Amino acid sequence: MQEQLNKYVHNIFAPYQEVKTAKELEEELLNNLNEKFNDYKKSGYSDEEAYQMTINSIGEVSELIESINLQQTELQKAIQMDFSRSSLVDSDFRSVSVHDGKFNSSDLKGSDFSDSDITNSTFKSSNLADTIFVNVNLTETLFKAANLKGATFKNCIYEKTFFKTSNLAGLNFEGETFEGTVFEGCNLKKASFKHSTLKNVQFRLSDIKKADFSGATMDKLTYNFLKAGKADLSNVTVV
C-alpha cells in the first residue's frame, strides 16, 4: 500500500519536473504522508481506509506547485532581459538560465557565470576581463570582439560556441572538450589547450602559433586547421 502511495504522490508531481523545487517538495510530502499512513494503521484502520484518509489529507498541492512554477517562469523572463550597454562589473549570474541573452557592449569585468546556462547568448564588444565561466553551458553562444583577458573557463559545454575576433591570449582551456566550436580571428597567444579534446573545431585566421596543444586529442579536420595555422602539433593524438 505504501508503494501505491509513493506512486500516487509521484504522479501529482510528474507535470512539474522542470520546477527546481518540485523534487524536494515531493520527498517532503511523501515522508509526511507515510507518517500519517502509519499513524492511521496504528489507530486500527485497514490498509485501504488508511490509504484513502492519507491521500484525502493532501489538499491542493497542485496549486502550490503551479504558484512556484509561475514564480520561476517570471524569474526566467526577467533574466532574459537585454543586458546590452550596461555596467555590470562584478555581477553575480551564478546558476541562472539565460537563453538568447544579450550582453552586447556591456562591462562585465569580474562577473561570475558559474553553473549557468547561457545557451545562444551574445557577447559582442563586451568587457569580460576576469570573468568566471565554470560549469557553464555555452552552446551556440557568441563572443565577438570580446575582451576575455584573465577569464576563467572550466568544465564548460562548448558545443557550436563561436569565438570571433576576441582576445583569448593566455587563457587556460586545459582538459576541456570542444565540439563544433569556432575560433575566428582570435588572439590565442600562449593559450593552453593541454589534454583537451577537440572535435570538428575550426581555427580560422586565428593566431595559434604559440598556443599549447600538447597532449590534446583531436579529429583530422581540427588537426588540418591547426596545421594550416602552423601550430605545434608534435605531441597530439589524432583520432
Side-chain angles (χ1 to χ4, degrees), residues 38-205:
N38 291 328
D39 287 342
Y40 287 132
K41 285 285 293 174
K42 289 178 182 178
S43 298
Y45 292 99
S46 66
D47 283 356
E48 188 59 42
E49 289 172 331
Y51 172 77
Q52 196 60 49
M53 293 172 70
T54 300
I55 63 174
N56 286 343
S57 70
I58 292 176
E60 294 300 326
V61 177
S62 60
E63 291 184 4
L64 172 62
I65 297 298
E66 289 289 3
S67 174
I68 294 172
N69 193 33
L70 177 61
Q71 292 173 17
Q72 179 171 308
T73 300
E74 291 302 317
L75 176 61
Q76 288 180 337
K77 286 181 179 178
I79 290 174
Q80 289 172 6
M81 291 174 56
D82 190 341
F83 291 97
S84 297
R85 297 173 294 280
S86 300
S87 178
L88 299 166
V89 175
D90 296 324
S91 291
D92 186 355
F93 288 100
R94 290 176 296 175
S95 301
V96 301
S97 178
V98 195
H99 287 206
D100 306 306
K102 292 180 175 60
F103 298 86
N104 304 322
S105 302
S106 293
D107 188 357
L108 290 150
K109 182 178 179 180
S111 294
D112 191 347
F113 286 87
S114 296
D115 303 303
S116 294
D117 183 352
I118 52 176
T119 296
N120 203 40
S121 293
T122 58
F123 295 84
K124 298 178 182 178
S125 303
S126 303
N127 181 18
L128 295 164
D130 302 318
T131 303
I132 299 173
F133 296 94
V134 177
N135 300 321
V136 181
N137 188 345
L138 297 172
T139 300
E140 297 187 355
T141 295
L142 170 64
F143 296 93
K144 182 179 180 181
N147 175 27
L148 285 156
K149 184 178 180 180
T152 299
F153 287 89
K154 187 176 181 181
N155 297 329
C156 293
I157 299 174
Y158 304 92
E159 187 171 346
K160 298 181 180 178
T161 307
F162 197 163
F163 294 94
K164 185 172 184 179
T165 58
S166 295
N167 180 18
L168 308 176
L171 295 193
N172 185 346
F173 294 108
E174 294 180 11
E176 300 291 270
T177 297
F178 299 88
E179 188 164 357
T181 313
V182 177
F183 296 89
E184 181 177 304
C186 293
N187 178 8
L188 288 162
K189 186 178 180 180
K190 294 186 178 180
S192 179
F193 291 85
K194 285 183 178 180
H195 306 292
S196 61
T197 300
L198 301 100
K199 302 176 183 177
N200 192 27
V201 179
Q202 300 181 41
F203 292 86
R204 298 184 284 202
L205 304 174

